[in-house]
Amino acid sequence: MRHTGRAIIAVLAAGVLTLAGCSDGGEDGGSGSGPGGMSVPKIDKLGSLGAGEGAVNVIAWAGYVEDGSTDPKVDWVTGFEKETGCQVNTKVAATSDEMVTLMKTGEYDVVSASGDASLRLIYGGDVAPVNTDLISNYQEVFEGLKNKQWNSVDGQSYGVPHGRGANLLMYRTDVVKPAPTSWGTVFDPNSPYQGKITAYDSPIYIADAALYLMKTKPELGIKSPYALDDTQFKAATDLLTQQNKLIGEYWSDYTKEVQAFKSGNSVLGTTWQIIVNLSKADKAPVEAVLPTEGATGWSDTWMISSKAKHPNCGYLWMNHIISPKANAGVAEWFGEAPANKLSCAETVDKNHCATFHAEDEAYFANVWYWTTPVPQCLDGRTDVTCKDYAAWTQAWTTIKG
């Protein structure tokens, strides 16, 4: 298969999170207060583009920066290097934590940051606000991805949107009948599919339980699946502890989930669209739905270091990687919805954007992008303390047993 799939980075289980809730940064990234009183350091954005410095040092998820060495047909780097004179030096990172650590060294110019990395980098002063006027392709980015909580502060962009996707409910059509429409099918204590249900192996999966409870038990008062007080958190973790008896295996490696559904060891559970596609290509009788309660999801952003040694090449790279053809190439290879709306005309598979709902904002309106929980409740409450990600991590270990 040409597709590496998003799950080529198996460790996304802990890595791709979005720290939501923003602050009063200025148009130039001026200081302001964010979640928990975090402040945005004063960092100037680039005023104008100069000549390329001859290189750009990139930190990226696997599959985001392909130069033809993996597959000769998959190359959106070589042409960029010839056109700009900027040699692309890529460091593939395995986790968001690794990306943050690497960016702090000042040795890298740009990073394809996931949510928890993005705001940590902003508030840590490790990335600079982005002058989108210098990125011509930015104007063609879907509006639904611009100036969001994971890539901006008070209207100031700190990155260039790259792509997005939802966490879906996949099922074997020959076993699971009738076709499921609700997440309730994976939480039913009397499920006939006990031992063959699968779930995403990460503390952030607690949000999936919270989202289900938010829609089905309004008396809990959950407004965001990432802002849980003691009572709400206990309800979500209790539900997952109960679900644990139904789970055959937790997954974080896409190849293992494909094989599990193909063999029938798993017949129902969370997935990504790319996994659905690969499973079908392997002749597994599967379908997937966005359940009636909605779903969690993810989005990534290209960001530039506040200490970039090659800022001009960095900007040239960010503009190139979201250009219609390059962004289409990444989206198809990686398995996601592209950020550039013109990319839909450039994909080899002309149904790609329809498959990944790239142009369907109503679809993504039902997606709660992964959000790192913090003590200061991200739903705006100030009279209670919410559980932070450390508590989620500890609880997840207990849930799995």
PDB file of all heavy atoms in Angstrom, residues 15-49:
ATOM      1  N   GLY A  15       0.492  11.261  22.238  1.00  0.00           N
ATOM      2  CA  GLY A  15       1.117  12.448  21.686  1.00  0.00           C
ATOM      3  C   GLY A  15       0.243  13.511  21.085  1.00  0.00           C
ATOM      4  O   GLY A  15       0.555  14.683  21.186  1.00  0.00           O
ATOM      5  N   VAL A  16      -0.848  13.141  20.445  1.00  0.00           N
ATOM      6  CA  VAL A  16      -1.553  14.145  19.683  1.00  0.00           C
ATOM      7  C   VAL A  16      -2.723  14.671  20.487  1.00  0.00           C
ATOM      8  O   VAL A  16      -3.785  14.113  20.468  1.00  0.00           O
ATOM      9  CB  VAL A  16      -2.066  13.567  18.356  1.00  0.00           C
ATOM     10  CG1 VAL A  16      -2.625  14.655  17.490  1.00  0.00           C
ATOM     11  CG2 VAL A  16      -0.934  12.884  17.638  1.00  0.00           C
ATOM     12  N   LEU A  17      -2.501  15.717  21.221  1.00  0.00           N
ATOM     13  CA  LEU A  17      -3.520  16.297  22.069  1.00  0.00           C
ATOM     14  C   LEU A  17      -3.597  17.780  21.787  1.00  0.00           C
ATOM     15  O   LEU A  17      -2.679  18.368  21.267  1.00  0.00           O
ATOM     16  CB  LEU A  17      -3.154  16.077  23.544  1.00  0.00           C
ATOM     17  CG  LEU A  17      -2.782  14.644  23.872  1.00  0.00           C
ATOM     18  CD1 LEU A  17      -2.164  14.585  25.251  1.00  0.00           C
ATOM     19  CD2 LEU A  17      -3.994  13.775  23.822  1.00  0.00           C
ATOM     20  N   THR A  18      -4.695  18.371  22.143  1.00  0.00           N
ATOM     21  CA  THR A  18      -4.856  19.797  21.900  1.00  0.00           C
ATOM     22  C   THR A  18      -5.158  20.517  23.196  1.00  0.00           C
ATOM     23  O   THR A  18      -6.183  20.287  23.788  1.00  0.00           O
ATOM     24  CB  THR A  18      -6.009  20.038  20.906  1.00  0.00           C
ATOM     25  OG1 THR A  18      -5.723  19.338  19.728  1.00  0.00           O
ATOM     26  CG2 THR A  18      -6.177  21.498  20.616  1.00  0.00           C
ATOM     27  N   LEU A  19      -4.274  21.398  23.621  1.00  0.00           N
ATOM     28  CA  LEU A  19      -4.500  22.189  24.819  1.00  0.00           C
ATOM     29  C   LEU A  19      -5.335  23.395  24.435  1.00  0.00           C
ATOM     30  O   LEU A  19      -4.872  24.318  23.814  1.00  0.00           O
ATOM     31  CB  LEU A  19      -3.172  22.638  25.412  1.00  0.00           C
ATOM     32  CG  LEU A  19      -3.248  23.540  26.640  1.00  0.00           C
ATOM     33  CD1 LEU A  19      -4.030  22.849  27.742  1.00  0.00           C
ATOM     34  CD2 LEU A  19      -1.860  23.909  27.109  1.00  0.00           C
ATOM     35  N   ALA A  20      -6.596  23.351  24.779  1.00  0.00           N
ATOM     36  CA  ALA A  20      -7.497  24.424  24.382  1.00  0.00           C
ATOM     37  C   ALA A  20      -7.577  25.486  25.445  1.00  0.00           C
ATOM     38  O   ALA A  20      -7.046  25.357  26.522  1.00  0.00           O
ATOM     39  CB  ALA A  20      -8.888  23.856  24.114  1.00  0.00           C
ATOM     40  N   GLY A  21      -8.308  26.533  25.115  1.00  0.00           N
ATOM     41  CA  GLY A  21      -8.471  27.628  26.060  1.00  0.00           C
ATOM     42  C   GLY A  21      -7.327  28.588  25.834  1.00  0.00           C
ATOM     43  O   GLY A  21      -6.193  28.266  26.112  1.00  0.00           O
ATOM     44  N   CYS A  22      -7.595  29.737  25.303  1.00  0.00           N
ATOM     45  CA  CYS A  22      -6.521  30.635  24.961  1.00  0.00           C
ATOM     46  C   CYS A  22      -6.581  31.913  25.756  1.00  0.00           C
ATOM     47  O   CYS A  22      -7.258  32.011  26.736  1.00  0.00           O
ATOM     48  CB  CYS A  22      -6.520  30.898  23.462  1.00  0.00           C
ATOM     49  SG  CYS A  22      -5.875  29.489  22.566  1.00  0.00           S
ATOM     50  N   SER A  23      -5.829  32.903  25.328  1.00  0.00           N
ATOM     51  CA  SER A  23      -5.584  34.024  26.192  1.00  0.00           C
ATOM     52  C   SER A  23      -5.553  35.328  25.454  1.00  0.00           C
ATOM     53  O   SER A  23      -5.967  35.437  24.322  1.00  0.00           O
ATOM     54  CB  SER A  23      -4.245  33.806  26.872  1.00  0.00           C
ATOM     55  OG  SER A  23      -3.218  34.007  25.928  1.00  0.00           O
ATOM     56  N   ASP A  24      -4.997  36.297  26.127  1.00  0.00           N
ATOM     57  CA  ASP A  24      -4.928  37.636  25.583  1.00  0.00           C
ATOM     58  C   ASP A  24      -3.559  37.935  24.995  1.00  0.00           C
ATOM     59  O   ASP A  24      -2.847  38.777  25.489  1.00  0.00           O
ATOM     60  CB  ASP A  24      -5.242  38.665  26.678  1.00  0.00           C
ATOM     61  CG  ASP A  24      -6.624  38.429  27.262  1.00  0.00           C
ATOM     62  OD1 ASP A  24      -7.567  38.326  26.473  1.00  0.00           O
ATOM     63  OD2 ASP A  24      -6.731  38.359  28.475  1.00  0.00           O
ATOM     64  N   GLY A  25      -3.142  37.186  23.995  1.00  0.00           N
ATOM     65  CA  GLY A  25      -1.897  37.544  23.334  1.00  0.00           C
ATOM     66  C   GLY A  25      -2.167  38.726  22.431  1.00  0.00           C
ATOM     67  O   GLY A  25      -3.272  38.930  21.968  1.00  0.00           O
ATOM     68  N   GLY A  26      -1.158  39.514  22.159  1.00  0.00           N
ATOM     69  CA  GLY A  26      -1.360  40.652  21.272  1.00  0.00           C
ATOM     70  C   GLY A  26      -1.206  40.244  19.831  1.00  0.00           C
ATOM     71  O   GLY A  26      -0.853  39.113  19.532  1.00  0.00           O
ATOM     72  N   GLU A  27      -1.449  41.148  18.935  1.00  0.00           N
ATOM     73  CA  GLU A  27      -1.303  40.856  17.508  1.00  0.00           C
ATOM     74  C   GLU A  27       0.127  40.477  17.181  1.00  0.00           C
ATOM     75  O   GLU A  27       0.383  39.740  16.254  1.00  0.00           O
ATOM     76  CB  GLU A  27      -1.727  42.080  16.681  1.00  0.00           C
ATOM     77  CG  GLU A  27      -1.695  41.851  15.176  1.00  0.00           C
ATOM     78  CD  GLU A  27      -2.682  40.788  14.743  1.00  0.00           C
ATOM     79  OE1 GLU A  27      -3.636  40.518  15.477  1.00  0.00           O
ATOM     80  OE2 GLU A  27      -2.477  40.214  13.649  1.00  0.00           O
ATOM     81  N   ASP A  28       1.080  40.938  17.986  1.00  0.00           N
ATOM     82  CA  ASP A  28       2.469  40.574  17.769  1.00  0.00           C
ATOM     83  C   ASP A  28       2.932  39.538  18.793  1.00  0.00           C
ATOM     84  O   ASP A  28       4.114  39.404  19.086  1.00  0.00           O
ATOM     85  CB  ASP A  28       3.368  41.814  17.892  1.00  0.00           C
ATOM     86  CG  ASP A  28       3.116  42.791  16.758  1.00  0.00           C
ATOM     87  OD1 ASP A  28       2.974  42.335  15.619  1.00  0.00           O
ATOM     88  OD2 ASP A  28       3.062  44.003  17.019  1.00  0.00           O
ATOM     89  N   GLY A  29       1.987  38.803  19.349  1.00  0.00           N
ATOM     90  CA  GLY A  29       2.360  37.787  20.304  1.00  0.00           C
ATOM     91  C   GLY A  29       2.691  38.389  21.658  1.00  0.00           C
ATOM     92  O   GLY A  29       3.466  37.821  22.414  1.00  0.00           O
ATOM     93  N   GLY A  30       2.124  39.515  21.992  1.00  0.00           N
ATOM     94  CA  GLY A  30       2.393  40.161  23.270  1.00  0.00           C
ATOM     95  C   GLY A  30       1.932  39.308  24.426  1.00  0.00           C
ATOM     96  O   GLY A  30       1.121  38.405  24.276  1.00  0.00           O
ATOM     97  N   SER A  31       2.452  39.602  25.607  1.00  0.00           N
ATOM     98  CA  SER A  31       2.143  38.776  26.754  1.00  0.00           C
ATOM     99  C   SER A  31       0.683  38.899  27.119  1.00  0.00           C
ATOM    100  O   SER A  31       0.045  39.922  26.954  1.00  0.00           O
ATOM    101  CB  SER A  31       3.009  39.190  27.950  1.00  0.00           C
ATOM    102  OG  SER A  31       2.761  40.524  28.294  1.00  0.00           O
ATOM    103  N   GLY A  32       0.127  37.805  27.645  1.00  0.00           N
ATOM    104  CA  GLY A  32      -1.251  37.750  28.094  1.00  0.00           C
ATOM    105  C   GLY A  32      -1.409  36.533  28.958  1.00  0.00           C
ATOM    106  O   GLY A  32      -0.481  35.743  29.112  1.00  0.00           O
ATOM    107  N   SER A  33      -2.562  36.338  29.532  1.00  0.00           N
ATOM    108  CA  SER A  33      -2.755  35.198  30.420  1.00  0.00           C
ATOM    109  C   SER A  33      -3.556  34.125  29.721  1.00  0.00           C
ATOM    110  O   SER A  33      -4.516  34.409  29.022  1.00  0.00           O
ATOM    111  CB  SER A  33      -3.471  35.637  31.699  1.00  0.00           C
ATOM    112  OG  SER A  33      -4.735  36.163  31.388  1.00  0.00           O
ATOM    113  N   GLY A  34      -3.139  32.894  29.892  1.00  0.00           N
ATOM    114  CA  GLY A  34      -3.828  31.761  29.320  1.00  0.00           C
ATOM    115  C   GLY A  34      -4.308  30.852  30.416  1.00  0.00           C
ATOM    116  O   GLY A  34      -4.466  31.273  31.553  1.00  0.00           O
ATOM    117  N   PRO A  35      -4.566  29.569  30.122  1.00  0.00           N
ATOM    118  CA  PRO A  35      -5.032  28.641  31.123  1.00  0.00           C
ATOM    119  C   PRO A  35      -4.080  28.594  32.312  1.00  0.00           C
ATOM    120  O   PRO A  35      -2.880  28.433  32.153  1.00  0.00           O
ATOM    121  CB  PRO A  35      -5.061  27.304  30.370  1.00  0.00           C
ATOM    122  CG  PRO A  35      -5.214  27.694  28.931  1.00  0.00           C
ATOM    123  CD  PRO A  35      -4.431  28.963  28.797  1.00  0.00           C
ATOM    124  N   GLY A  36      -4.613  28.738  33.497  1.00  0.00           N
ATOM    125  CA  GLY A  36      -3.777  28.653  34.681  1.00  0.00           C
ATOM    126  C   GLY A  36      -2.860  29.838  34.851  1.00  0.00           C
ATOM    127  O   GLY A  36      -1.878  29.775  35.578  1.00  0.00           O
ATOM    128  N   GLY A  37      -3.171  30.960  34.184  1.00  0.00           N
ATOM    129  CA  GLY A  37      -2.335  32.134  34.342  1.00  0.00           C
ATOM    130  C   GLY A  37      -1.094  32.123  33.484  1.00  0.00           C
ATOM    131  O   GLY A  37      -0.198  32.944  33.656  1.00  0.00           O
ATOM    132  N   MET A  38      -0.999  31.168  32.538  1.00  0.00           N
ATOM    133  CA  MET A  38       0.165  31.134  31.657  1.00  0.00           C
ATOM    134  C   MET A  38       0.218  32.420  30.838  1.00  0.00           C
ATOM    135  O   MET A  38      -0.801  32.965  30.446  1.00  0.00           O
ATOM    136  CB  MET A  38       0.088  29.924  30.719  1.00  0.00           C
ATOM    137  CG  MET A  38       0.229  28.587  31.420  1.00  0.00           C
ATOM    138  SD  MET A  38       0.319  27.201  30.242  1.00  0.00           S
ATOM    139  CE  MET A  38      -1.326  27.220  29.572  1.00  0.00           C
ATOM    140  N   SER A  39       1.421  32.891  30.568  1.00  0.00           N
ATOM    141  CA  SER A  39       1.561  34.115  29.796  1.00  0.00           C
ATOM    142  C   SER A  39       2.262  33.830  28.476  1.00  0.00           C
ATOM    143  O   SER A  39       3.045  32.890  28.359  1.00  0.00           O
ATOM    144  CB  SER A  39       2.355  35.157  30.581  1.00  0.00           C
ATOM    145  OG  SER A  39       3.650  34.691  30.868  1.00  0.00           O
ATOM    146  N   VAL A  40       1.949  34.655  27.486  1.00  0.00           N
ATOM    147  CA  VAL A  40       2.545  34.523  26.163  1.00  0.00           C
ATOM    148  C   VAL A  40       3.739  35.470  26.082  1.00  0.00           C
ATOM    149  O   VAL A  40       3.569  36.684  26.183  1.00  0.00           O
ATOM    150  CB  VAL A  40       1.526  34.884  25.071  1.00  0.00           C
ATOM    151  CG1 VAL A  40       2.137  34.667  23.694  1.00  0.00           C
ATOM    152  CG2 VAL A  40       0.259  34.060  25.230  1.00  0.00           C
ATOM    153  N   PRO A  41       4.934  34.939  25.904  1.00  0.00           N
ATOM    154  CA  PRO A  41       6.111  35.813  25.819  1.00  0.00           C
ATOM    155  C   PRO A  41       6.019  36.771  24.631  1.00  0.00           C
ATOM    156  O   PRO A  41       5.404  36.460  23.613  1.00  0.00           O
ATOM    157  CB  PRO A  41       7.269  34.818  25.622  1.00  0.00           C
ATOM    158  CG  PRO A  41       6.764  33.520  26.149  1.00  0.00           C
ATOM    159  CD  PRO A  41       5.295  33.513  25.825  1.00  0.00           C
ATOM    160  N   LYS A  42       6.617  37.919  24.782  1.00  0.00           N
ATOM    161  CA  LYS A  42       6.654  38.903  23.708  1.00  0.00           C
ATOM    162  C   LYS A  42       7.696  38.473  22.679  1.00  0.00           C
ATOM    163  O   LYS A  42       8.900  38.491  22.933  1.00  0.00           O
ATOM    164  CB  LYS A  42       7.020  40.282  24.287  1.00  0.00           C
ATOM    165  CG  LYS A  42       7.299  41.352  23.258  1.00  0.00           C
ATOM    166  CD  LYS A  42       6.068  41.767  22.494  1.00  0.00           C
ATOM    167  CE  LYS A  42       6.376  42.928  21.564  1.00  0.00           C
ATOM    168  NZ  LYS A  42       5.187  43.325  20.774  1.00  0.00           N
ATOM    169  N   ILE A  43       7.229  38.061  21.521  1.00  0.00           N
ATOM    170  CA  ILE A  43       8.107  37.623  20.434  1.00  0.00           C
ATOM    171  C   ILE A  43       7.598  38.257  19.150  1.00  0.00           C
ATOM    172  O   ILE A  43       6.411  38.175  18.839  1.00  0.00           O
ATOM    173  CB  ILE A  43       8.109  36.083  20.299  1.00  0.00           C
ATOM    174  CG1 ILE A  43       8.630  35.426  21.585  1.00  0.00           C
ATOM    175  CG2 ILE A  43       8.960  35.651  19.105  1.00  0.00           C
ATOM    176  CD1 ILE A  43       8.464  33.924  21.614  1.00  0.00           C
ATOM    177  N   ASP A  44       8.484  38.904  18.417  1.00  0.00           N
ATOM    178  CA  ASP A  44       8.086  39.548  17.174  1.00  0.00           C
ATOM    179  C   ASP A  44       7.939  38.524  16.058  1.00  0.00           C
ATOM    180  O   ASP A  44       8.702  37.560  15.970  1.00  0.00           O
ATOM    181  CB  ASP A  44       9.111  40.595  16.757  1.00  0.00           C
ATOM    182  CG  ASP A  44       9.157  41.773  17.715  1.00  0.00           C
ATOM    183  OD1 ASP A  44       8.104  42.090  18.298  1.00  0.00           O
ATOM    184  OD2 ASP A  44      10.255  42.353  17.884  1.00  0.00           O
ATOM    185  N   LYS A  45       6.973  38.756  15.201  1.00  0.00           N
ATOM    186  CA  LYS A  45       6.843  37.911  14.028  1.00  0.00           C
ATOM    187  C   LYS A  45       7.671  38.497  12.883  1.00  0.00           C
ATOM    188  O   LYS A  45       7.997  39.691  12.888  1.00  0.00           O
ATOM    189  CB  LYS A  45       5.381  37.788  13.620  1.00  0.00           C
ATOM    190  CG  LYS A  45       4.677  39.090  13.290  1.00  0.00           C
ATOM    191  CD  LYS A  45       3.191  38.831  13.073  1.00  0.00           C
ATOM    192  CE  LYS A  45       2.432  40.133  12.825  1.00  0.00           C
ATOM    193  NZ  LYS A  45       0.985  39.926  12.740  1.00  0.00           N
ATOM    194  N   LEU A  46       8.029  37.657  11.931  1.00  0.00           N
ATOM    195  CA  LEU A  46       8.843  38.086  10.801  1.00  0.00           C
ATOM    196  C   LEU A  46       8.104  39.151  10.006  1.00  0.00           C
ATOM    197  O   LEU A  46       6.925  38.994   9.668  1.00  0.00           O
ATOM    198  CB  LEU A  46       9.163  36.879   9.912  1.00  0.00           C
ATOM    199  CG  LEU A  46      10.239  37.059   8.849  1.00  0.00           C
ATOM    200  CD1 LEU A  46      11.594  37.305   9.513  1.00  0.00           C
ATOM    201  CD2 LEU A  46      10.313  35.818   7.956  1.00  0.00           C
ATOM    202  N   GLY A  47       8.803  40.259   9.706  1.00  0.00           N
ATOM    203  CA  GLY A  47       8.163  41.373   9.009  1.00  0.00           C
ATOM    204  C   GLY A  47       8.153  41.231   7.504  1.00  0.00           C
ATOM    205  O   GLY A  47       7.217  41.667   6.835  1.00  0.00           O
ATOM    206  N   SER A  48       9.210  40.629   6.961  1.00  0.00           N
ATOM    207  CA  SER A  48       9.295  40.476   5.512  1.00  0.00           C
ATOM    208  C   SER A  48      10.203  39.302   5.193  1.00  0.00           C
ATOM    209  O   SER A  48      11.057  38.920   5.995  1.00  0.00           O
ATOM    210  CB  SER A  48       9.839  41.752   4.860  1.00  0.00           C
ATOM    211  OG  SER A  48      11.148  42.036   5.348  1.00  0.00           O
ATOM    212  N   LEU A  49      10.013  38.748   4.011  1.00  0.00           N
ATOM    213  CA  LEU A  49      10.831  37.615   3.579  1.00  0.00           C
ATOM    214  C   LEU A  49      12.113  38.094   2.920  1.00  0.00           C
ATOM    215  O   LEU A  49      12.104  39.048   2.141  1.00  0.00           O
ATOM    216  CB  LEU A  49      10.065  36.741   2.592  1.00  0.00           C
ATOM    217  CG  LEU A  49       9.114  35.683   3.161  1.00  0.00           C
ATOM    218  CD1 LEU A  49       8.411  34.955   2.026  1.00  0.00           C
ATOM    219  CD2 LEU A  49       9.865  34.692   4.042  1.00  0.00           C
TER     220      LEU A  49
END
